[in-house]
Amino acid sequence: HREAEFFICRTSCPCKYSFLDENKKLTPRRDVPSYPKYMLSQETIEALRKPTFDVWLWEPNEMLSCLEHMYHDLGLVKDFNINPITLKRWLLCIHDNYRNNPFHNFRHCFCVTQMMYSMISLCNLQEKFPQVDILILMTAAVCHDLDHPGYNNTYQINARTELAVRYNDISPLENHHCAVAFQIIAQPECNIFSNVTQEQFKRIRQGIITLILATDMARHAEILDSFKEKMDNFDYSNEEHVTCLKMVLIKCCDISNEVRPMEVAEPWVDCLLEEYFMQSDREKSEGLPVAPFMDRDKVTKPTAQIGFLKFVLIPMFETVTKLFPEVDEVMLQPLWESRDRYEELKQLDDAMKEASYTYPELGDIFQSNIKFAQKFSEE
């Protein structure tokens, strides 16, 4: 049980765009913020630096301790003179401003940040970037989906929600995540940047905003194409090149679940589909357009993943591998294996459907056979 919690008071309306009330302040419920200090074992500390880390094993307090460790381990606490108690308070407040959505929740925030930490280690980014860029990468990852309502930008725009109206249909969710992030930082007791100069703060703020806005998948092609143009003569002294690379890095981390071992990655597909189906059911009931990839009557796990792996994930990680060859074995190969596995499952699904049309009386037998085949392929 936490000794202290921090929260932003929401409007009483529990509707789709439940919106932060700007007039309310972050109110600490206790004077001393502390979650139980979990002493991370050496084994956990080592595992935390790798994409194979099992993100399902940990309770929120343990995830908070892991995030706290990352900021200390990367030298961010020391280099930016972050008060360690303020860091704890800030992390608690971050936790309390993620909603309990099936997918876009605090565990997803932890996943994305842990993958960023892994990529910083794997690609030796601390040798290539100044520390301020490491701080921007990590903090953007932590904050990138704050107060996500569980309904995507398409829904916000089509339903004409308060968020869509406020942000003129331009990346309403990502703009909101940024706004919440800096509402939290605006509270002195949660301001991890209180000891940086005015100039540094401007750079950090602009960097975080740029990265969070880059997570809007509507901008995927634009960002990846821009990165590809810079690949032939990538220059770490060119600010535009480095910004583009940071945008691609946060994008990689945001959608990196399939990089993880199959038993860690697969439950996330169920979580995402649950959130998609929640949205498409609502869209149907409100008479709004429904995307086929979100429709429970049209999508399966294999069909959901194959296109995403082949046309989004793999091409992006292949491009990153050209700059960081170490990504190939650790991140790209698991994506190829995941694609092959889902294609096999789709073939099994298709075969079962065809057989059940031809021999409807054998439906139960086919069903049990396919479950056995799926289990066998997992083992």
Side-chain angles (χ1 to χ4, degrees), residues 6 58 71 81-82 101 141 183 190 216 230 267 286 292 332 359:
F6 292 78
W58 313 93
Y71 271 72
N81 197 12
I82 299 171
N101 298 315
Q183 281 180 313
C190 295
D216 183 354
K230 297 167 178 58
E286 294 178 1
L332 192 51
Y359 307 105

Side-chain angles (χ1 to χ4, degrees), residues 3-19:
E3 290 172 31
E5 289 182 342
F6 292 78
F7 64 97
I8 285 178
C9 295
R10 304 185 194 286
T11 55
S12 57
C13 168
C15 56
K16 56 217 170 201
Y17 45 69
S18 173
F19 214 56

Side-chain angles (χ1 to χ4, degrees), residues 47 50-57 111 114-115 118 256-269 305 329-335 337-339 341-342 377-378:
K50 296 172 184 169
T52 49
F53 187 78
D54 191 341
V55 295
W56 295 105
L57 297 178
C111 268
Q114 188 271 325
M115 190 62 75
S118 298
S256 64
N257 284 327
E258 290 300 328
V259 165
R260 298 183 185 276
M262 187 264 298
E263 63 278 8
V264 179
E266 189 165 12
W268 281 114
V269 185
Q305 292 304 92
E329 186 182 345
V330 184
M331 304 182 92
L332 192 51
Q333 285 191 31
L335 291 177
E337 287 164 15
S338 178
R339 174 202 60 196
R341 183 173 155 270
Y342 278 114
S377 78
E378 286 167 12

Side-chain angles (χ1 to χ4, degrees), residues 17-67:
Y17 45 69
S18 173
F19 214 56
L20 287 171
D21 183 343
E22 290 173 353
N23 299 316
K24 296 286 174 72
K25 287 223 171 187
L26 243 171
T27 314
R29 295 179 194 165
R30 298 277 192 281
D31 290 334
V32 183
S34 67
Y35 36 85
K37 179 64 184 172
Y38 288 91
M39 293 305 294
L40 303 180
S41 69
Q42 196 55 40
E43 186 185 10
T44 300
I45 286 168
E46 288 300 318
L48 200 54
R49 291 194 187 100
K50 296 172 184 169
T52 49
F53 187 78
D54 191 341
V55 295
W56 295 105
L57 297 178
W58 313 93
E59 295 174 7
N61 284 331
E62 295 169 309
M63 290 188 277
L64 287 165
S65 281
C66 287
L67 292 170

Side-chain angles (χ1 to χ4, degrees), residues 39-134:
M39 293 305 294
L40 303 180
S41 69
Q42 196 55 40
E43 186 185 10
T44 300
I45 286 168
E46 288 300 318
L48 200 54
R49 291 194 187 100
K50 296 172 184 169
T52 49
F53 187 78
D54 191 341
V55 295
W56 295 105
L57 297 178
W58 313 93
E59 295 174 7
N61 284 331
E62 295 169 309
M63 290 188 277
L64 287 165
S65 281
C66 287
L67 292 170
E68 186 185 2
H69 168 80
M70 293 173 201
Y71 271 72
H72 282 278
D73 182 57
L74 291 167
L76 301 175
V77 174
K78 180 172 170 288
D79 290 350
F80 296 96
N81 197 12
I82 299 171
N83 182 325
I85 298 297
T86 306
L87 177 65
K88 283 176 179 286
R89 244 192 239 119
W90 175 70
L91 286 169
L92 271 171
C93 191
I94 292 290
H95 168 270
D96 289 346
N97 283 282
Y98 273 90
R99 303 195 198 184
N100 292 322
N101 298 315
F103 185 93
H104 290 101
N105 51 41
F106 178 68
R107 196 175 299 275
H108 168 67
C109 150
F110 176 71
C111 268
V112 174
T113 311
Q114 188 271 325
M115 190 62 75
M116 183 65 81
Y117 181 64
S118 298
M119 290 195 82
I120 289 167
S121 172
L122 177 67
C123 305
N124 295 310
L125 294 183
Q126 287 190 291
E127 293 176 12
K128 299 173 173 74
F129 287 166
Q131 278 291 82
V132 68
D133 282 337
I134 302 297

Side-chain angles (χ1 to χ4, degrees), residues 228-280:
K228 284 177 179 173
E229 285 172 16
K230 297 167 178 58
M231 281 300 304
D232 290 338
N233 55 349
F234 191 86
D235 180 3
Y236 282 100
S237 65
N238 183 320
E239 195 178 334
E240 195 184 325
H241 285 210
V242 171
T243 297
C244 194
L245 171 56
K246 288 186 292 180
M247 290 162 81
V248 169
L249 287 170
I250 196 167
K251 282 174 60 53
C252 285
C253 295
D254 188 23
I255 57 176
S256 64
N257 284 327
E258 290 300 328
V259 165
R260 298 183 185 276
M262 187 264 298
E263 63 278 8
V264 179
E266 189 165 12
W268 281 114
V269 185
D270 295 312
C271 294
L272 186 60
L273 289 178
E274 186 183 340
E275 202 166 291
Y276 281 175
F277 296 159
M278 205 167 68
Q279 175 171 320
S280 60

Side-chain angles (χ1 to χ4, degrees), residues 306-337:
I306 291 168
F308 191 63
L309 280 156
K310 283 169 78 167
F311 302 114
V312 178
L313 271 173
I314 290 171
M316 183 163 67
F317 275 89
E318 281 175 341
T319 307
V320 170
T321 300
K322 289 175 186 168
L323 199 57
F324 303 112
E326 49 273 66
V327 164
D328 188 318
E329 186 182 345
V330 184
M331 304 182 92
L332 192 51
Q333 285 191 31
L335 291 177
W336 288 330
E337 287 164 15

